[in-house]
Amino acid sequence: MNDAVVAPTIEYGTLAPMLLVFGAAVVGVLVEAFAPRYMRKSIHVPLTLLSLAGAFALVIVQVVKGAVPTAPVAMGAVAVDGPSLFIWGVILVLSFVCVLMINDEGHFVASAAAVPGSADEEEAEAAGGSHTEVYPLVLFAVGGMLLFPASHDLLTMFVGLEVMSLPLYLLCGLARRRRLLSQEASMKYFLLGAFSSAFFLYGTAMIYGYAGTVSFTGINKALATGSLLDPILLLGVSLLGVGLLFKIGAAPFQAWKPDVYQGAPTPITALMASGTLVAAVGALLRVFWVALGNLDWDWRPVMWAVAALTMVVGAILAITQTDIKRMLAYSSIAHAGFLLIGVMATFDKSAQNAKSLSAIMFYLLVYSITTVGAFAVVTMVRDPGGEAGHLSRWAGLGKRSPILAGIFAFFLLAFAGIPLTSGFFGKYAVFAAALASGSEAGDSLGGWMTGLVVLGVVASAIAAFFYVRVIVLMFFSDPAADGPSIAVPSMGTVAVIAISLLITVGVGLFPQPMLDLANQAASGLFIR
């Protein structure tokens, strides 16, 4: 006699923000299939913006009503806890402002299938063609970003990883200018991303072989009773770490970032540098704190080395860059190292874990919104062939456009962690959490954490050099006669820069409300 099939239990109300984004992405695909070409953009733009705004509103409703579940939902596959809701809110805000940048004309190629420089491409541009499928692709990527850090088992996390990554591989190759560079960036991202996904999947198989489950709760229980030196376990953890560290661009898995950031359309670069980083750090915390929390004394030394190497590589190699987007890419690598300091700041006390998690989430918010603003400024500095990427073209920008140069300088100072900017409080929160974690754990770990924080301060000082170098170049150099022009900003670009500047200044002057919000969200992590 066959047993009856039991339908799965899905908490649709709890998952509504993510489901709304995925639903809008599916509707966008139908628009591409059935709507006339001339109507598609006028449908896509409001559909995309309203779905993202609606998903954010649903997140706020859950928080205000206190409807945060106390256990994973969707048959234990998704953890919609306090940190998930905070990360969802950050990702939705970032994706909303990035879509405002994407809506500007001139970022995407008229026909991706045409050979760069061919007559077909010129004909498509002359006809005013555009890739409106960019919008559903972005929604699918954002949906993956929401699922990735909220996953409560490794298979769901792998699905989120792929749903997030596959649209980005395509979007990176759609730049209107520098077509060959854009296609090269897309191919590099695809190949290296496929390798990292394979590492993650093999690691999942190894962990399953050890624990007999892919559930984070089950893995954590297996670690509490099993051998912590099992070769299958250690190999699985190593492979999982490679897959996750690749996504945040940590050394020695950072080589893809500068090339991809440089070649991708700048609004897509902004989305990757902000939303993807937030999602990947959230997933890293979910794996190493929730699933592998009982193994922290084994993965901490490796994470220490990775964090140190990431900060040093990002800060030093950024000095040698001559392209503004590559410099921001190496800056992102250095900031990934600072975030890894916070990832190490876990201890077997819920209060300390909450403090460390709060610092990481606060850092993610302030860094990512500043990043979007910086890339929005980059889109406005133009040469005849497109964006003025070479740093020499930015000489004297403060005399050509003092307001725009001043805003960009402020963003750079926030990256450097100068006081009275949001970046200062972000770094302070992470470093303070790391020192507190070390003092709670004892002399041995305390010394290691102190050393890592000192290295982080040194790396921050090195990074400040290349930020200040750009500021000096803009304000204390004479502009070239054939210098770049400043594009007339659209309302979307103005809104992006204004929102980024407002949050960067506001959190820099009044950080406590956002810190309180992060503290409140951090207390609800499903851990141990």
Side-chain angles (χ1 to χ4, degrees):
M1 180 177 178
N2 294 328
D3 293 334
V5 176
V6 179
T9 302
I10 306 296
E11 294 80 356
Y12 292 102
T14 303
L15 298 173
M18 184 169 59
L19 295 178
L20 177 59
V21 173
F22 278 126
V26 173
V27 173
V29 173
L30 296 177
V31 170
E32 283 294 310
F34 298 107
R37 183 178 295 274
Y38 71 91
M39 291 182 60
R40 292 175 188 172
K41 185 173 182 180
S42 61
I43 299 174
H44 277 308
V45 174
L47 173 66
T48 304
L49 292 176
L50 288 175
S51 64
L52 295 173
F56 181 76
L58 290 173
V59 171
I60 299 300
V61 168
Q62 289 196 43
V63 173
V64 171
K65 285 187 174 181
V68 181
T70 57
V73 299
M75 305 294 289
V78 182
V80 187
D81 50 14
S84 290
L85 291 174
F86 186 92
I87 289 174
W88 282 6
V90 173
I91 291 173
L92 291 168
V93 169
L94 295 172
S95 56
F96 185 91
V97 296
C98 286
V99 169
L100 294 178
M101 294 171 58
I102 290 170
N103 189 40
D104 284 354
E105 297 291 341
H107 291 301
F108 296 93
V109 66
S111 175
V115 176
S118 65
D120 290 339
E121 185 179 55
E122 294 178 1
E123 182 180 346
E125 289 187 3
S130 62
H131 273 288
T132 51
E133 63 267 30
V134 166
Y135 296 97
L137 286 173
V138 167
L139 284 175
F140 276 119
V142 172
M145 292 176 194
L146 300 179
L147 179 60
F148 192 37
S151 303
H152 200 65
D153 66 61
L154 291 174
L155 285 183
T156 304
M157 183 169 282
F158 178 74
V159 172
L161 171 63
E162 292 306 293
V163 174
M164 175 182 72
S165 301
L166 290 174
L168 293 176
Y169 300 153
L170 296 173
L171 291 167
C172 287
L174 299 181
R176 192 177 191 90
R177 309 292 182 181
R178 297 182 176 184
R179 293 288 299 121
L180 291 176
L181 186 64
S182 178
Q183 291 177 353
E184 178 186 350
S186 178
M187 183 58 67
K188 285 182 178 178
Y189 194 22
F190 169 69
L191 291 176
L192 294 176
F195 275 112
S196 73
S197 297
F199 276 110
F200 186 92
L201 199 56
Y202 274 113
T204 298
M206 294 292 178
I207 295 295
Y208 179 79
Y210 170 83
T213 178
V214 292
S215 167
F216 290 167
T217 302
I219 294 170
N220 190 269
K221 290 180 179 178
L223 290 173
T225 58
S227 171
L228 301 183
L229 297 178
D230 190 306
I232 294 180
L233 170 64
L234 298 179
L235 181 59
V237 173
S238 301
L239 294 173
L240 282 178
V242 170
L244 292 169
L245 291 171
F246 172 88
K247 284 302 173 185
I248 69 172
F253 315 109
Q254 86 294 343
W256 64 274
K257 249 188 178 181
D259 293 340
V260 174
Y261 278 28
Q262 183 183 17
T266 301
I268 302 303
T269 303
L271 181 63
M272 290 191 297
S274 56
T276 302
L277 179 67
V278 173
V281 172
L284 187 74
L285 289 168
R286 191 74 64 180
V287 170
F288 281 91
W289 282 28
V290 179
L292 305 175
N294 286 317
L295 197 66
D296 53 0
W297 286 101
D298 293 278
W299 57 254
R300 263 181 175 162
V302 177
M303 195 68 74
W304 192 100
V306 171
L309 183 63
T310 302
M311 290 186 294
V312 172
V313 167
I316 293 179
L317 292 186
I319 298 175
T320 66
Q321 303 306 307
T322 58
D323 183 271
I324 190 70
K325 289 173 73 175
R326 291 182 70 88
M327 187 203 76
L328 291 175
Y330 279 105
S331 167
S332 173
I333 293 169
H335 283 279
F338 300 143
L339 285 163
L340 288 177
I341 295 178
V343 173
M344 288 187 58
T346 176
F347 192 63
D348 195 13
K349 289 184 179 180
S350 58
Q352 177 57 46
N353 285 333
K355 180 179 179 181
S356 303
L357 180 58
S358 169
I360 294 170
M361 293 193 300
F362 179 79
Y363 195 118
L364 286 172
L365 170 66
V366 297
Y367 168 73
S368 57
I369 197 67
T370 304
T371 298
V372 172
F375 279 110
V377 173
V378 171
T379 64
M380 294 179 58
V381 184
R382 304 281 182 87
D383 271 336
E387 294 167 358
H390 201 279
L391 282 176
S392 62
R393 306 294 293 162
W394 288 63
L397 184 66
K399 299 177 181 178
R400 288 179 178 272
S401 180
I403 295 178
L404 187 67
I407 293 173
F408 191 66
F410 188 81
F411 288 146
L412 293 178
L413 293 176
F415 286 143
I418 301 301
L420 297 183
T421 66
S422 59
F424 169 78
F425 290 103
K427 287 183 179 179
Y428 175 81
V430 169
F431 291 167
L435 292 175
S437 173
S439 63
E440 290 281 353
D443 294 338
S444 177
L445 181 61
W448 283 96
M449 295 301 291
T450 301
L452 191 61
V453 170
V454 171
L455 183 60
V457 173
V458 173
S460 297
I462 296 173
F465 169 78
F466 58 81
Y467 295 132
V468 173
R469 182 185 65 176
V470 176
I471 296 174
V472 170
L473 185 68
M474 290 191 298
F475 288 96
F476 298 98
S477 298
D478 294 326
D482 59 343
S485 60
I486 307 301
V488 177
S490 67
M491 291 300 296
T493 302
V494 170
V496 172
I497 295 176
I499 292 171
S500 302
L501 185 63
L502 180 64
I503 294 177
T504 303
V505 174
V507 176
L509 295 176
F510 307 103
Q512 197 58 49
M514 195 57 64
L515 283 169
D516 292 340
L517 182 61
N519 288 332
Q520 182 180 358
S523 61
L525 178 67
F526 300 151
I527 184 169
R528 302 195 188 181

